[in-house]
Amino acid sequence: MKTNNLFTVLLLLFSFTASTAQTTDAIVEKMVTEANDNSQLEVLAHELMDVVGPRLVGTPQMKKASDWAIATYKKWGIDARMEEYGKWRGWERGITHVDLIAPRVVSLSGMQLAWSPSTGKKGITANLITIPEVADSIAFQKWLPNVKGKIVLVSMNQPTGRPDYNWEEFATPESFEKMKKDRDALEDSWRDRMRKTGFTSRTINQELEKAGALGIIQSRWSNGFGANKIFSANTKKIPVVDLSLEDYGLIYRMTENGDQPKLKVVAESKELGTVPTFNTLAEIKGTEFPEEYVILSAHFDSWDGATGATDNGTGTITMMEAARLLKKFYPNPKRTILIGLWGSEEQGLNGSRAFVEDHPEIIANVQAVFNQDNGTGRVVKISGQGFLHAYDYIGKWLEAAPKDITKQIETTFPGVPSTGGSDYASFVAAGVPAFSLSSLSWSYWNYTWHTNLDTYDKIVFDDVRNNAILTAIMAYKASEDPEKTSREKSVLPINPRSGEQRTWPEPRSPERDGGKIE
């Protein structure tokens, strides 16, 4: 080759490389600018959390949420659809009102649990009774007729409504230690009391219902001011209501001290028969490798004690905002970008497990899955999930993101595969490179995870904005990567609990006909 020709080739190669780098930098820069200057996160959060509301599987709100998401994607020019995978017990929450009417009148703070049977508009009025100390399950069966016509209190009365951090700040060290010791003794005593009944907190409600109780009151404190866990009722005919720690303590003490408290409980709800369960999917079709996929993942459903803002409204709007950025500045990706908003994650990863089971042709060709589902905080941890070469591609994609977003992220490679916890585990079990974008806590466990306080005001939008930018850039780089990701698995370490070598999790089938009380 002549010297002039060689120089020309090298010049063209340099120009192409520089142009590619400039294009890459330009796309990233445009997405970052748009996300910061024209964020849609606040709008999405208001429309989803405030207007649509909680998204309990089997409720009309879950369907409304899907319709809203599909319409929103359509506005952005993104194709979207609802994909059914099973069915669930249909139910809709109504008004809950709990009043102490004797020995004095007080309106109490509480709500019926998910799938609670309705009292009707008239409600129920009854005296209260607590779970007794008995010698054994035989003695408990003999006591059971006492609940007939009464409302039963089934939770331990908390000795303090102050979280430990509040005690630690203000109490003397001696007082703090004494409180913890007394509380531990009370909890041990309560566990022993429940054990002797022959039932657990999950099974006792149905036994009380069979014995003629009119209703059940519980209080599952979440160890934070004003925060209670709100789950499901597990009864067929009688209502189950959760009361605040403060009000539960009031009526529990009254009952134990012989003050003969009486409650009126109105817990309206509707049974809607069997309804479809579904995932909400959106796609930006690939141009060069349309049969290969980069998946943005978050679960759409929530519990309904509040509006599911940080579990997992923030994950949902992160993926939707990332999709908007990608569609605007990267409308023709090399690989198809699929956004999966999964249904019924809270009941066992059902939506994502169904997708994995129903779409082997997609699962075989997934480049990467990025999942976000542990609160409103900025991403601070990414694990390789046991994929031997995860560092090679995750590390490379992360380099494209601004340092002010990645500087706080700790990575662990190759890591170990997750066996559950969120939807990425459904993909990992199938051998797909799927990664959790794990977030800073923001007191998630105590204050918002499955509680009555998981509302719009708990969202930290600066952190969520960072996550949307990170997700969009990672998806862009994964789509552009000239190489397919390796699925080679690492040799897993010894489990310190069992002393045995860890094994890769097996794929599990979803529950496709759920919500029934046997």
Side-chain angles (χ1 to χ4, degrees), residues 21-317:
Q22 288 172 1
T23 302
T24 299
D25 291 342
I27 290 174
V28 169
E29 185 177 346
K30 286 177 181 178
M31 289 197 295
V32 171
T33 300
E34 172 72 11
N36 285 319
D37 294 351
N38 189 36
S39 172
Q40 298 301 297
L41 290 169
E42 288 86 350
V43 173
L44 294 173
H46 168 67
E47 291 177 352
L48 181 58
M49 267 61 79
D50 292 344
V51 179
V52 174
R55 299 160 303 282
L56 184 72
V57 62
T59 62
Q61 287 71 33
M62 187 64 184
K63 172 64 164 58
K64 288 178 183 177
S66 184
D67 292 343
W68 165 82
I70 291 170
T72 302
Y73 284 129
K74 185 176 180 181
K75 285 193 301 183
W76 298 337
I78 299 174
D79 293 332
R81 66 189 185 276
M82 180 191 296
E83 182 175 278
E84 294 183 16
Y85 64 82
K87 53 189 177 180
W88 205 267
R89 172 187 174 188
W91 182 84
E92 185 173 15
R93 176 181 292 281
I95 291 171
T96 303
H97 209 296
V98 185
D99 297 297
L100 177 67
I101 59 175
R104 59 189 179 91
V105 175
V106 187
S107 288
L108 307 180
S109 177
M111 65 174 63
Q112 63 185 306
L113 300 188
W115 302 295
S116 172
S118 179
T119 63
K121 293 185 181 297
K122 292 183 178 179
I124 59 172
T125 301
N127 291 108
L128 310 181
I129 192 170
T130 62
I131 301 295
E133 292 187 26
V134 293
D136 52 30
S137 60
I138 296 173
F140 181 71
Q141 289 296 324
K142 291 180 180 178
W143 172 86
L144 261 179
N146 289 288
V147 307
K148 188 172 184 179
K150 294 185 178 69
I151 296 172
V152 188
L153 307 182
V154 296
S155 298
M156 184 189 87
N157 181 35
Q158 293 289 338
T160 177
R162 295 183 181 276
D164 281 7
Y165 66 80
N166 194 243
W167 277 85
E168 195 165 18
E169 181 177 0
F170 294 107
T172 64
E174 295 80 9
S175 179
F176 185 31
E177 289 304 314
K178 179 178 180 297
M179 183 280 292
K180 289 192 291 184
K181 183 178 179 181
D182 291 346
R183 184 178 60 192
D184 288 346
L186 184 61
E187 289 174 346
D188 288 343
S189 175
W190 183 263
R191 280 192 291 269
D192 188 57
R193 181 184 297 202
M194 289 297 295
R195 181 184 59 80
K196 287 177 178 176
T197 69
F199 298 94
T200 68
S201 59
R202 292 179 179 272
T203 60
I204 197 168
N205 287 3
Q206 293 182 48
E207 191 67 14
L208 296 170
E209 181 178 43
K210 291 176 187 176
L214 283 185
I216 294 169
I217 303 286
Q218 69 170 47
S219 183
R220 291 195 62 176
W221 190 41
S222 190
N223 300 305
F225 283 118
N228 270 26
K229 303 294 188 195
I230 309 296
F231 291 109
S232 56
N234 293 321
T235 53
K236 293 181 179 180
K237 296 180 179 179
I238 66 172
V240 184
V241 171
D242 187 275
L243 280 189
S244 69
L245 175 148
E246 294 80 9
D247 286 342
Y248 187 84
L250 167 67
I251 62 173
Y252 194 97
R253 291 188 299 272
M254 283 183 167
T255 304
E256 289 288 273
N257 284 285
D259 299 315
Q260 298 185 352
K262 183 176 288 189
L263 290 189
K264 180 178 180 181
V265 177
V266 176
E268 296 180 47
S269 60
K270 293 179 182 177
E271 293 290 338
L272 303 176
T274 300
V275 300
T277 53
F278 48 83
N279 295 316
T280 302
L281 307 175
E283 280 189 9
I284 305 173
K285 201 68 178 175
T287 55
E288 191 171 334
F289 308 109
E291 304 307 315
E292 295 181 17
Y293 292 83
V294 175
I295 299 180
L296 309 187
S297 169
H299 73 85
F300 209 11
D301 66 308
S302 72
W303 285 101
D304 71 337
T307 57
T310 70
D311 186 21
N312 189 30
T314 45
T316 294
I317 64 175

Side-chain angles (χ1 to χ4, degrees), residues 55 297-302 311-313 315-316 340-346 371-373 422-423 444:
R55 299 160 303 282
S297 169
H299 73 85
F300 209 11
D301 66 308
S302 72
D311 186 21
N312 189 30
T316 294
L341 303 181
W342 315 115
S344 194
E345 185 269 355
E346 298 292 4
N371 185 83
Q372 208 281 320
D373 174 29
S422 191
D423 293 295
Y444 176 66

Side-chain angles (χ1 to χ4, degrees), residues 337-351:
I337 297 173
L338 186 148
I339 307 93
L341 303 181
W342 315 115
S344 194
E345 185 269 355
E346 298 292 4
Q347 286 68 47
L349 314 186
N350 291 317

Side-chain angles (χ1 to χ4, degrees), residues 251-484:
I251 62 173
Y252 194 97
R253 291 188 299 272
M254 283 183 167
T255 304
E256 289 288 273
N257 284 285
D259 299 315
Q260 298 185 352
K262 183 176 288 189
L263 290 189
K264 180 178 180 181
V265 177
V266 176
E268 296 180 47
S269 60
K270 293 179 182 177
E271 293 290 338
L272 303 176
T274 300
V275 300
T277 53
F278 48 83
N279 295 316
T280 302
L281 307 175
E283 280 189 9
I284 305 173
K285 201 68 178 175
T287 55
E288 191 171 334
F289 308 109
E291 304 307 315
E292 295 181 17
Y293 292 83
V294 175
I295 299 180
L296 309 187
S297 169
H299 73 85
F300 209 11
D301 66 308
S302 72
W303 285 101
D304 71 337
T307 57
T310 70
D311 186 21
N312 189 30
T314 45
T316 294
I317 64 175
T318 291
M319 298 307 157
M320 292 183 71
E321 177 75 343
R324 183 183 75 86
L325 297 173
L326 289 161
K327 179 62 178 179
K328 188 167 186 176
F329 300 110
Y330 184 56
N332 300 301
K334 285 187 178 179
R335 295 176 171 88
T336 296
I337 297 173
L338 186 148
I339 307 93
L341 303 181
W342 315 115
S344 194
E345 185 269 355
E346 298 292 4
Q347 286 68 47
L349 314 186
N350 291 317
S352 56
R353 283 176 173 165
F355 182 84
V356 169
E357 192 168 87
D358 295 345
H359 293 283
E361 77 290 352
I362 292 177
I363 297 306
N365 292 291
V366 174
Q367 175 81 337
V369 179
F370 303 109
N371 185 83
Q372 208 281 320
D373 174 29
N374 66 323
T376 188
R378 59 193 174 277
V379 174
V380 291
K381 290 182 181 178
I382 299 176
S383 164
Q385 294 300 320
F387 292 98
L388 184 60
H389 302 291
Y391 171 79
D392 297 340
Y393 43 91
I394 291 291
K396 180 169 56 177
W397 301 338
L398 279 172
E399 288 178 0
K403 292 297 179 284
D404 63 335
I405 289 177
T406 60
K407 65 183 179 182
Q408 296 186 29
I409 298 177
E410 294 181 2
T411 55
T412 303
F413 295 108
V416 294
S418 174
T419 57
S422 191
D423 293 295
Y424 66 97
S426 302
F427 294 91
V428 169
V432 175
F435 308 99
S436 171
L437 306 180
S438 184
S439 296
L440 194 67
S441 167
W442 283 96
S443 298
Y444 176 66
W445 179 263
N446 289 351
Y447 278 102
T448 60
W449 182 77
H450 300 169
T451 76
N452 56 314
L453 301 184
D454 192 11
T455 45
Y456 179 101
D457 53 285
K458 308 307 184 306
I459 299 174
V460 181
F461 283 102
D462 285 345
D463 281 11
V464 179
R465 198 159 13 253
N466 277 10
N467 296 348
I469 293 169
L470 175 68
T471 302
I473 293 171
M474 294 281 279
Y476 162 52
K477 296 301 291 182
S479 174
E480 284 289 297
D481 200 318
E483 298 180 1
K484 289 188 70 173

